[in-house]
Coordinates of all heavy atoms in Angstrom, one line a residue:
M64 N -24.6 -46.0 95.5 CA -23.1 -45.7 95.2 C -22.7 -44.5 96.1 O -21.6 -44.5 96.6 CB -23.0 -45.5 93.7 CG -21.6 -45.2 93.4 SD -20.6 -46.7 93.4 CE -19.2 -46.2 92.7
R65 N -23.6 -43.5 96.1 CA -23.2 -42.3 96.9 C -23.1 -42.6 98.4 O -22.3 -42.1 99.1 CB -24.2 -41.2 96.7 CG -24.1 -40.6 95.4 CD -25.1 -39.4 95.2 NE -25.1 -38.9 93.9 CZ -25.9 -37.9 93.5 NH1 -26.7 -37.4 94.3 NH2 -25.8 -37.5 92.2
S66 N -24.0 -43.5 98.9 CA -24.0 -43.8 100.3 C -22.7 -44.6 100.6 O -22.1 -44.4 101.7 CB -25.2 -44.6 100.7 OG -25.2 -45.9 100.0
I67 N -22.2 -45.4 99.7 CA -21.0 -46.2 100.0 C -19.8 -45.2 100.1 O -18.9 -45.3 100.9 CB -20.8 -47.2 98.9 CG1 -21.8 -48.3 99.0 CG2 -19.4 -47.9 99.0 CD1 -21.8 -49.3 97.9
L68 N -19.8 -44.2 99.2 CA -18.7 -43.2 99.2 C -18.8 -42.4 100.5 O -17.7 -42.0 101.0 CB -18.8 -42.3 97.9 CG -18.4 -42.9 96.6 CD1 -18.7 -42.0 95.5 CD2 -16.9 -43.3 96.7
A69 N -20.0 -42.0 100.9 CA -20.1 -41.2 102.1 C -19.6 -42.0 103.3 O -18.9 -41.5 104.2 CB -21.6 -40.8 102.3
I70 N -20.0 -43.3 103.4 CA -19.6 -44.1 104.5 C -18.0 -44.3 104.5 O -17.3 -44.2 105.5 CB -20.3 -45.5 104.5 CG1 -21.8 -45.3 104.8 CG2 -19.6 -46.5 105.5 CD1 -22.6 -46.5 104.6
A71 N -17.5 -44.5 103.3 CA -16.0 -44.7 103.2 C -15.3 -43.4 103.6 O -14.3 -43.5 104.3 CB -15.7 -45.1 101.8
S72 N -15.8 -42.3 103.2 CA -15.1 -41.0 103.5 C -15.2 -40.8 105.0 O -14.3 -40.2 105.6 CB -15.7 -39.8 102.7 OG -17.1 -39.7 103.1
C73 N -16.3 -41.1 105.7 CA -16.5 -41.0 107.1 C -15.5 -41.9 107.8 O -14.9 -41.5 108.8 CB -17.9 -41.3 107.6 SG -19.1 -40.0 107.1
L74 N -15.3 -43.1 107.3 CA -14.3 -44.0 108.0 C -12.9 -43.5 107.8 O -12.1 -43.6 108.7 CB -14.4 -45.4 107.4 CG -15.7 -46.2 107.7 CD1 -15.8 -47.5 107.0 CD2 -15.8 -46.4 109.2
V75 N -12.6 -42.9 106.7 CA -11.2 -42.4 106.4 C -11.0 -41.2 107.3 O -9.9 -41.1 108.0 CB -11.0 -42.0 104.9 CG1 -9.7 -41.3 104.7 CG2 -11.0 -43.3 104.1
L76 N -11.9 -40.3 107.5 CA -11.8 -39.1 108.3 C -11.7 -39.5 109.8 O -11.1 -38.8 110.6 CB -12.9 -38.1 108.0 CG -12.9 -37.4 106.7 CD1 -14.1 -36.5 106.5 CD2 -11.6 -36.6 106.6
A77 N -12.4 -40.5 110.2 CA -12.4 -41.0 111.6 C -11.1 -41.5 112.0 O -10.7 -41.4 113.1 CB -13.5 -42.0 111.8
A78 N -10.3 -42.0 111.0 CA -9.0 -42.6 111.3 C -7.9 -41.6 111.3 O -6.8 -41.9 111.7 CB -8.7 -43.7 110.3
C79 N -8.2 -40.4 110.9 CA -7.1 -39.3 110.8 C -6.7 -38.9 112.2 O -7.6 -38.7 113.1 CB -7.6 -38.1 110.0 SG -7.8 -38.4 108.3
G80 N -5.5 -38.7 112.4 CA -5.0 -38.1 113.6 C -4.9 -39.1 114.8 O -4.7 -38.6 115.9
R81 N -5.1 -40.3 114.6 CA -5.1 -41.3 115.8 C -3.7 -41.4 116.4 O -3.5 -41.7 117.6 CB -5.6 -42.6 115.4 CG -7.1 -42.6 115.0 CD -7.6 -44.0 114.9 NE -8.4 -44.2 116.1 CZ -8.9 -45.4 116.4 NH1 -8.7 -46.4 115.6 NH2 -9.5 -45.6 117.5
D82 N -2.6 -41.2 115.6 CA -1.3 -41.4 116.1 C -0.8 -40.2 116.9 O 0.1 -40.2 117.6 CB -0.3 -41.6 114.9 CG -0.6 -42.9 114.2 OD1 -1.2 -43.8 114.8 OD2 -0.3 -43.0 113.0
L83 N -1.5 -39.0 116.8 CA -1.1 -37.8 117.5 C -1.7 -37.6 118.9 O -1.4 -36.7 119.6 CB -1.5 -36.6 116.6 CG -0.8 -36.6 115.2 CD1 -1.4 -35.4 114.5 CD2 0.7 -36.5 115.3
V84 N -2.6 -38.6 119.3 CA -3.2 -38.5 120.6 C -2.2 -38.8 121.7 O -1.5 -39.8 121.7 CB -4.4 -39.4 120.6 CG1 -5.1 -39.4 122.0 CG2 -5.4 -39.1 119.6
Q85 N -2.1 -37.9 122.7 CA -1.2 -38.0 123.8 C -2.0 -37.9 125.1 O -2.9 -37.1 125.2 CB -0.1 -37.0 123.8 CG 0.8 -37.1 122.6 CD 1.8 -36.0 122.6 OE1 1.8 -35.1 123.4 NE2 2.8 -36.0 121.7
P86 N -1.7 -38.7 126.1 CA -2.4 -38.6 127.3 C -2.0 -37.3 128.0 O -0.9 -36.8 127.9 CB -2.0 -39.8 128.1 CG -0.7 -40.2 127.5 CD -0.7 -39.8 126.1
D87 N -3.0 -36.7 128.7 CA -2.7 -35.5 129.4 C -2.3 -35.7 130.9 O -2.1 -34.7 131.6 CB -3.9 -34.5 129.4 CG -5.2 -35.2 130.0 OD1 -5.1 -36.4 130.2 OD2 -6.2 -34.4 130.2
L88 N -2.2 -36.9 131.3 CA -1.8 -37.2 132.7 C -0.3 -37.3 132.8 O 0.3 -37.8 131.9 CB -2.5 -38.5 133.1 CG -4.0 -38.6 133.1 CD1 -4.5 -40.0 133.5 CD2 -4.5 -37.6 134.2
P89 N 0.3 -36.9 133.9 CA 1.8 -37.0 134.0 C 2.2 -38.5 134.2 O 1.4 -39.3 134.7 CB 2.1 -36.1 135.2 CG 0.8 -36.1 136.0 CD -0.3 -36.2 135.0
D90 N 3.4 -38.7 134.0 CA 4.0 -40.1 134.2 C 4.0 -40.3 135.7 O 3.9 -39.4 136.6 CB 5.4 -40.2 133.7 CG 5.4 -40.1 132.2 OD1 4.4 -40.4 131.5 OD2 6.4 -39.7 131.6
A91 N 4.1 -41.6 136.1 CA 4.1 -42.0 137.5 C 5.3 -41.4 138.2 O 5.3 -41.1 139.4 CB 4.1 -43.5 137.7
G92 N 6.5 -41.2 137.5 CA 7.7 -40.7 138.2 C 7.7 -39.2 138.4 O 8.4 -38.6 139.1
T93 N 6.8 -38.5 137.7 CA 6.7 -37.0 137.8 C 5.4 -36.6 138.5 O 4.7 -35.7 138.0 CB 6.9 -36.4 136.4 OG1 5.8 -36.8 135.6 CG2 8.2 -36.7 135.8
A94 N 5.1 -37.2 139.6 CA 3.8 -36.8 140.3 C 3.9 -35.4 140.9 O 5.0 -35.0 141.3 CB 3.5 -37.9 141.4
V95 N 2.8 -34.8 141.0 CA 2.8 -33.4 141.5 C 2.8 -33.5 143.1 O 2.0 -34.3 143.7 CB 1.5 -32.7 141.1 CG1 1.4 -31.3 141.7 CG2 1.5 -32.6 139.6
V96 N 3.7 -32.8 143.7 CA 3.8 -32.8 145.1 C 2.9 -31.7 145.7 O 3.0 -30.5 145.3 CB 5.2 -32.5 145.6 CG1 5.4 -32.4 147.1 CG2 6.2 -33.5 145.0
P97 N 1.9 -32.0 146.6 CA 1.1 -31.0 147.1 C 1.8 -30.0 148.0 O 2.8 -30.3 148.7 CB 0.0 -31.7 147.9 CG 0.7 -33.0 148.2 CD 1.6 -33.3 147.1
Q98 N 1.4 -28.7 147.9 CA 2.0 -27.7 148.7 C 0.9 -27.0 149.5 O -0.2 -26.8 149.0 CB 2.8 -26.7 147.9 CG 3.9 -27.3 147.1 CD 4.6 -26.3 146.2 OE1 4.1 -25.2 146.0 NE2 5.7 -26.6 145.7
V99 N 1.3 -26.5 150.7 CA 0.3 -25.7 151.5 C 0.2 -24.3 151.0 O 1.2 -23.6 150.7 CB 0.8 -25.7 153.0 CG1 -0.1 -24.8 153.8 CG2 0.9 -27.1 153.5
Q100 N -1.0 -23.9 150.8 CA -1.3 -22.5 150.3 C -2.0 -21.8 151.4 O -3.0 -22.2 152.0 CB -2.2 -22.5 149.1 CG -1.6 -23.2 147.9 CD -0.5 -22.3 147.3 OE1 -0.5 -21.1 147.3 NE2 0.5 -23.0 146.8
V101 N -1.5 -20.6 151.8 CA -2.1 -19.7 152.8 C -3.0 -18.7 152.1 O -2.5 -18.0 151.2 CB -1.0 -19.0 153.6 CG1 -1.6 -18.1 154.6 CG2 -0.1 -20.0 154.3
V102 N -4.2 -18.7 152.5 CA -5.2 -17.8 151.9 C -5.7 -16.9 153.0 O -6.3 -17.3 153.9 CB -6.4 -18.6 151.2 CG1 -7.4 -17.6 150.6 CG2 -5.9 -19.5 150.1
E103 N -5.4 -15.6 152.8 CA -5.9 -14.6 153.8 C -7.4 -14.3 153.4 O -7.7 -14.0 152.3 CB -5.1 -13.4 153.8 CG -3.7 -13.6 154.3 CD -2.9 -12.3 154.5 OE1 -3.5 -11.2 154.5 OE2 -1.7 -12.4 154.5
R104 N -8.2 -14.3 154.4 CA -9.6 -14.0 154.2 C -10.0 -12.8 155.0 O -9.8 -12.7 156.2 CB -10.5 -15.2 154.7 CG -11.9 -15.1 154.4 CD -12.6 -16.4 154.7 NE -13.9 -16.1 155.2 CZ -14.6 -16.7 156.0 NH1 -14.1 -17.9 156.5 NH2 -15.8 -16.4 156.4
Y105 N -10.4 -11.7 154.3 CA -10.8 -10.5 154.9 C -12.3 -10.5 155.3 O -13.1 -10.8 154.4 CB -10.5 -9.3 154.0 CG -9.0 -9.1 153.8 CD1 -8.4 -9.5 152.6 CD2 -8.2 -8.6 154.8 CE1 -7.0 -9.4 152.4 CE2 -6.8 -8.5 154.6 CZ -6.3 -8.9 153.4 OH -4.9 -8.7 153.2
I106 N -12.6 -10.1 156.5 CA -14.0 -10.0 156.9 C -14.2 -8.5 157.3 O -13.5 -8.0 158.1 CB -14.3 -10.9 158.1 CG1 -14.0 -12.4 157.7 CG2 -15.7 -10.7 158.6 CD1 -14.2 -13.3 158.9
Y107 N -15.1 -7.9 156.6 CA -15.3 -6.5 156.8 C -16.3 -6.2 157.9 O -17.3 -7.0 158.2 CB -15.8 -5.9 155.5 CG -14.8 -5.9 154.4 CD1 -14.8 -6.9 153.5 CD2 -13.8 -4.9 154.4 CE1 -13.8 -6.9 152.5 CE2 -12.8 -5.0 153.5 CZ -12.8 -6.0 152.5 OH -11.9 -6.0 151.5
V108 N -16.1 -5.2 158.7 CA -16.9 -4.8 159.8 C -18.2 -4.1 159.2 O -18.2 -3.3 158.3 CB -16.2 -3.7 160.6 CG1 -17.1 -3.3 161.8 CG2 -14.9 -4.3 161.2
R109 N -19.3 -4.6 159.7 CA -20.6 -4.0 159.3 C -20.7 -2.6 159.9 O -20.4 -2.4 161.1 CB -21.8 -4.8 159.7 CG -21.9 -6.1 158.9 CD -23.2 -6.7 159.1 NE -23.4 -7.9 158.4 CZ -23.8 -8.0 157.1 NH1 -24.1 -7.0 156.5 NH2 -23.8 -9.2 156.5
V110 N -21.2 -1.6 159.2 CA -21.4 -0.3 159.7 C -22.8 -0.3 160.2 O -23.8 -0.7 159.6 CB -21.2 0.8 158.6 CG1 -21.5 2.1 159.1 CG2 -19.8 0.7 158.0
P111 N -23.0 0.2 161.5 CA -24.3 0.2 162.1 C -25.3 1.1 161.2 O -24.9 2.1 160.6 CB -24.1 0.8 163.5 CG -22.7 0.5 163.8 CD -22.0 0.5 162.4
A112 N -26.5 0.8 161.3 CA -27.5 1.5 160.5 C -27.7 2.9 160.8 O -27.9 3.8 160.0 CB -28.9 0.8 160.6
H113 N -27.5 3.2 162.1 CA -27.7 4.6 162.5 C -26.6 5.5 162.0 O -26.7 6.8 161.9 CB -27.7 4.8 164.1 CG -26.4 4.5 164.8 ND1 -26.0 3.3 165.1 CD2 -25.5 5.4 165.2 CE1 -24.8 3.4 165.7 NE2 -24.5 4.6 165.8
L114 N -25.4 4.9 161.5 CA -24.4 5.7 160.9 C -24.6 6.0 159.5 O -24.0 6.9 158.9 CB -23.0 5.1 161.2 CG -22.5 5.0 162.6 CD1 -21.2 4.3 162.7 CD2 -22.5 6.3 163.2
T115 N -25.5 5.2 158.8 CA -25.7 5.4 157.4 C -27.0 6.0 157.1 O -27.4 6.2 156.0 CB -25.7 4.0 156.7 OG1 -26.7 3.2 157.3 CG2 -24.3 3.3 156.8
A116 N -27.7 6.4 158.1 CA -29.0 7.1 157.9 C -28.8 8.5 157.4 O -27.9 9.2 157.8 CB -29.8 7.2 159.2
P117 N -29.5 8.9 156.4 CA -29.3 10.3 155.8 C -29.8 11.4 156.8 O -30.7 11.2 157.6 CB -30.2 10.3 154.6 CG -31.2 9.2 154.8 CD -30.6 8.2 155.7
E118 N -29.1 12.5 156.7 CA -29.5 13.6 157.5 C -30.5 14.5 156.8 O -30.4 14.7 155.5 CB -28.2 14.5 157.8 CG -27.2 13.9 158.8 CD -27.8 13.8 160.2 OE1 -28.6 14.6 160.6 OE2 -27.5 12.8 160.8
P119 N -31.5 15.0 157.5 CA -32.5 15.9 156.8 C -31.8 17.2 156.4 O -31.0 17.7 157.1 CB -33.6 16.0 157.8 CG -32.9 15.8 159.1 CD -31.8 14.8 158.9
I120 N -32.3 17.7 155.2 CA -31.8 19.0 154.8 C -32.8 20.0 155.1 O -34.0 20.0 154.6 CB -31.5 19.0 153.2 CG1 -30.4 17.9 153.0 CG2 -31.0 20.3 152.8 CD1 -30.1 17.7 151.5
A121 N -32.5 21.0 155.9 CA -33.4 22.1 156.3 C -33.7 23.0 155.1 O -32.8 23.4 154.3 CB -32.8 22.9 157.4
E122 N -35.0 23.4 155.0 CA -35.4 24.3 153.9 C -36.4 25.3 154.5 O -37.0 25.0 155.5 CB -36.1 23.5 152.8 CG -35.1 22.6 152.0 CD -35.9 21.9 150.9 OE1 -37.0 22.1 150.7 OE2 -35.2 21.0 150.3
G123 N -36.5 26.4 153.9 CA -37.4 27.4 154.4 C -37.4 28.7 153.5 O -36.5 28.8 152.7
P124 N -38.3 29.6 153.8 CA -38.3 30.9 153.0 C -37.1 31.7 153.4 O -36.4 31.5 154.4 CB -39.6 31.5 153.4 CG -39.9 30.9 154.8 CD -39.4 29.5 154.8
I125 N -36.9 32.7 152.6 CA -35.7 33.6 152.8 C -35.8 34.4 154.2 O -34.8 34.7 154.7 CB -35.6 34.6 151.6 CG1 -34.2 35.2 151.6 CG2 -36.6 35.7 151.7 CD1 -33.1 34.3 151.0
A126 N -37.0 34.5 154.7 CA -37.1 35.2 155.9 C -36.6 34.4 157.1 O -36.2 34.9 158.1 CB -38.6 35.5 156.2
Q127 N -36.5 33.1 156.9 CA -36.0 32.2 158.0 C -34.5 31.8 157.6 O -34.1 30.7 158.0 CB -36.9 31.0 158.1 CG -38.3 31.3 158.6 CD -39.1 30.0 158.6 OE1 -38.8 29.0 158.0 NE2 -40.2 30.1 159.4
C128 N -33.8 32.6 157.0 CA -32.5 32.2 156.5 C -31.6 31.8 157.6 O -30.8 30.8 157.5 CB -31.9 33.4 155.7 SG -30.3 33.1 155.0
F129 N -31.6 32.5 158.7 CA -30.6 32.3 159.8 C -31.0 30.9 160.5 O -30.1 30.2 160.9 CB -30.6 33.4 160.8 CG -30.0 34.7 160.2 CD1 -30.8 35.8 160.0 CD2 -28.7 34.7 159.8 CE1 -30.3 36.9 159.4 CE2 -28.2 35.9 159.2 CZ -29.0 37.0 159.0
E130 N -32.3 30.7 160.6 CA -32.7 29.4 161.2 C -32.4 28.2 160.4 O -31.9 27.2 160.8 CB -34.2 29.4 161.5 CG -34.7 30.4 162.5 CD -36.2 30.5 162.6 OE1 -36.9 29.4 162.3 OE2 -36.7 31.5 162.9
V131 N -32.6 28.4 159.0 CA -32.3 27.3 158.1 C -30.8 27.0 158.1 O -30.3 25.9 158.1 CB -32.8 27.6 156.7 CG1 -32.3 26.6 155.7 CG2 -34.3 27.7 156.7
A132 N -30.0 28.1 158.1 CA -28.5 28.0 158.1 C -28.1 27.2 159.4 O -27.2 26.4 159.3 CB -27.9 29.3 158.0
A133 N -28.7 27.6 160.5 CA -28.3 26.9 161.8 C -28.7 25.4 161.7 O -27.9 24.6 162.2 CB -29.0 27.6 162.9
K134 N -29.8 25.1 161.2 CA -30.2 23.7 161.1 C -29.3 22.9 160.1 O -29.0 21.8 160.3 CB -31.7 23.6 160.6 CG -32.7 24.0 161.6 CD -34.1 23.9 161.1 CE -35.1 24.4 162.1 NZ -36.5 24.4 161.6
R135 N -28.9 23.6 159.0 CA -28.0 22.9 158.1 C -26.6 22.7 158.7 O -26.0 21.7 158.5 CB -27.9 23.7 156.8 CG -29.1 23.6 155.9 CD -28.9 24.3 154.6 NE -30.1 24.1 153.8 CZ -30.2 24.6 152.6 NH1 -29.2 25.2 152.0 NH2 -31.4 24.4 151.9
R136 N -26.2 23.7 159.5 CA -24.9 23.5 160.1 C -24.9 22.4 161.1 O -24.0 21.5 161.2 CB -24.5 24.8 160.9 CG -23.1 24.6 161.6 CD -22.8 25.9 162.3 NE -21.5 25.7 163.0 CZ -20.4 26.2 162.7 NH1 -20.3 27.0 161.7 NH2 -19.3 25.9 163.4
A137 N -26.1 22.2 161.9 CA -26.2 21.1 162.8 C -26.2 19.8 162.1 O -25.6 18.8 162.5 CB -27.5 21.3 163.6
A138 N -26.9 19.7 160.9 CA -26.9 18.5 160.1 C -25.5 18.2 159.6 O -25.1 17.0 159.6 CB -27.9 18.6 159.0
L139 N -24.7 19.2 159.2 CA -23.4 18.9 158.8 C -22.5 18.4 159.9 O -21.7 17.5 159.8 CB -22.8 20.2 158.3 CG -22.7 20.3 156.7 CD1 -22.3 21.7 156.3 CD2 -21.8 19.3 156.1
E140 N -22.7 19.0 161.1 CA -21.9 18.5 162.3 C -22.3 17.1 162.6 O -21.4 16.3 163.0 CB -22.1 19.5 163.4 CG -21.4 20.8 163.2 CD -21.7 21.8 164.3 OE1 -22.6 21.5 165.2 OE2 -21.1 22.9 164.3
R141 N -23.6 16.7 162.6 CA -24.0 15.3 162.8 C -23.4 14.4 161.8 O -22.9 13.3 162.1 CB -25.5 15.2 162.8 CG -26.1 15.7 164.1 CD -27.6 15.4 164.2 NE -28.4 15.7 163.0 CZ -29.0 16.9 162.8 NH1 -29.0 17.8 163.8 NH2 -29.7 17.2 161.7
A142 N -23.4 14.8 160.5 CA -22.8 14.0 159.4 C -21.3 13.8 159.7 O -20.8 12.7 159.5 CB -23.1 14.6 158.1
N143 N -20.6 14.8 160.1 CA -19.2 14.7 160.3 C -18.9 13.8 161.5 O -17.9 13.0 161.5 CB -18.5 16.1 160.6 CG -18.4 16.8 159.3 OD1 -18.3 16.2 158.2 ND2 -18.3 18.2 159.4
A144 N -19.8 13.8 162.5 CA -19.6 12.9 163.7 C -19.8 11.5 163.3 O -19.1 10.6 163.7 CB -20.6 13.3 164.8
K145 N -20.8 11.3 162.4 CA -21.0 9.9 161.8 C -19.8 9.4 161.1 O -19.4 8.3 161.2 CB -22.2 9.9 160.9 CG -23.5 10.0 161.6 CD -24.7 9.9 160.6 CE -26.0 10.0 161.3 NZ -27.1 9.9 160.3
L146 N -19.2 10.3 160.3 CA -18.0 9.9 159.5 C -16.8 9.6 160.4 O -16.1 8.6 160.2 CB -17.6 11.0 158.5 CG -18.5 11.2 157.3 CD1 -18.1 12.4 156.5 CD2 -18.5 10.0 156.5
Q147 N -16.7 10.3 161.5 CA -15.6 10.0 162.5 C -15.9 8.6 163.1 O -14.9 7.9 163.4 CB -15.6 11.1 163.6 CG -15.0 12.4 163.1 CD -15.0 13.5 164.1 OE1 -15.6 13.3 165.2 NE2 -14.3 14.6 163.8
Q148 N -17.1 8.3 163.5 CA -17.4 7.0 164.0 C -17.2 5.9 163.0 O -16.6 4.9 163.4 CB -18.9 7.0 164.5 CG -19.2 7.8 165.7 CD -20.6 7.8 166.1 OE1 -21.5 7.2 165.4 NE2 -21.0 8.6 167.1
C149 N -17.5 6.1 161.8 CA -17.2 5.1 160.7 C -15.7 4.9 160.6 O -15.2 3.8 160.4 CB -17.7 5.6 159.4 SG -19.5 5.4 159.3
G150 N -14.9 6.0 160.7 CA -13.4 6.0 160.6 C -12.9 5.2 161.8 O -11.9 4.5 161.7
A151 N -13.5 5.3 163.0 CA -13.0 4.6 164.2 C -13.3 3.1 164.0 O -12.6 2.3 164.5 CB -13.7 5.1 165.4
I152 N -14.4 2.7 163.4 CA -14.7 1.3 163.2 C -13.8 0.7 162.1 O -13.5 -0.5 162.2 CB -16.2 1.2 162.7 CG1 -17.2 1.6 163.9 CG2 -16.5 -0.2 162.3 CD1 -18.6 1.6 163.5
Q153 N -13.4 1.4 161.1 CA -12.7 0.9 160.0 C -11.4 0.2 160.5 O -10.6 0.8 161.3 CB -12.4 2.0 159.0 CG -11.6 1.5 157.8 CD -11.4 2.6 156.8 OE1 -11.8 3.7 157.0 NE2 -10.7 2.3 155.7
G154 N -11.1 -1.0 160.0 CA -9.9 -1.6 160.3 C -9.9 -2.4 161.6 O -8.9 -3.1 162.0
T155 N -11.0 -2.4 162.3 CA -11.1 -3.3 163.5 C -11.3 -4.7 163.1 O -11.8 -5.0 162.1 CB -12.2 -2.8 164.4 OG1 -13.5 -2.9 163.7 CG2 -12.0 -1.4 164.9
E156 N -10.8 -5.6 164.0 CA -10.9 -7.0 163.7 C -12.3 -7.6 164.1 O -12.9 -7.1 165.1 CB -9.8 -7.8 164.4 CG -8.4 -7.5 163.9 CD -7.4 -8.4 164.4 OE1 -7.7 -9.6 164.9 OE2 -6.2 -8.1 164.4
V157 N -12.7 -8.5 163.3 CA -14.0 -9.1 163.6 C -13.8 -10.6 163.9 O -13.0 -11.3 163.3 CB -14.9 -9.0 162.3 CG1 -16.3 -9.7 162.5 CG2 -15.1 -7.6 162.0
E158 N -14.6 -11.1 164.8 CA -14.5 -12.6 165.1 C -15.2 -13.3 164.0 O -16.3 -13.0 163.6 CB -15.2 -12.9 166.4 CG -14.5 -12.2 167.6 CD -15.2 -12.5 168.9 OE1 -16.1 -13.4 168.9 OE2 -14.9 -11.8 169.9
P159 N -14.6 -14.4 163.4 CA -15.2 -15.1 162.3 C -16.4 -15.9 162.8 O -16.7 -16.1 163.8 CB -14.1 -16.0 161.8 CG -12.9 -15.9 162.7 CD -13.2 -14.8 163.7

């Protein structure tokens, strides 16, 4: 008896909402017209490896303070030169 009730309730629930089903496709008279889309594609310039290499940091005892300072200044100047080269590369066009 329970199995008959279970089967009957499943059939009743399966029939619910059948009248509310609507197709999601548009009618033949309202077809979508394709349009051209322009997509800009940006290609970035690769930065050469020699421009991204880290600069060594000079270290030494206090007695060599002036030599260490001169080496650090030279490293800073090289780093600034690398940054200028990177700035010159930025914004250049690349062949696809």
Side-chain angles (χ1 to χ4, degrees):
M64 180 74 169
R65 288 184 185 178
S66 62
I67 293 174
L68 287 174
I70 292 172
S72 63
C73 287
L74 290 175
V75 170
L76 289 175
C79 291
R81 292 189 105 187
D82 296 334
L83 301 176
V84 176
Q85 296 177 352
D87 58 349
L88 299 174
D90 296 333
T93 60
V95 178
V96 178
Q98 297 177 350
V99 175
Q100 295 290 324
V101 177
V102 178
E103 291 187 21
R104 189 173 144 206
Y105 294 103
I106 300 175
Y107 293 97
V108 178
R109 289 195 181 271
V110 177
H113 72 277
L114 295 179
T115 59
E118 289 293 327
I120 299 174
E122 295 180 3
I125 199 76
Q127 296 177 342
C128 181
F129 296 114
E130 293 175 30
V131 171
K134 289 179 182 177
R135 286 188 178 181
R136 180 183 177 108
L139 259 173
E140 288 175 353
R141 284 191 305 271
N143 285 338
K145 287 181 180 181
L146 288 174
Q147 287 176 351
Q148 290 176 358
C149 287
I152 292 174
Q153 183 178 359
T155 57
E156 292 189 22
V157 179
E158 296 178 13

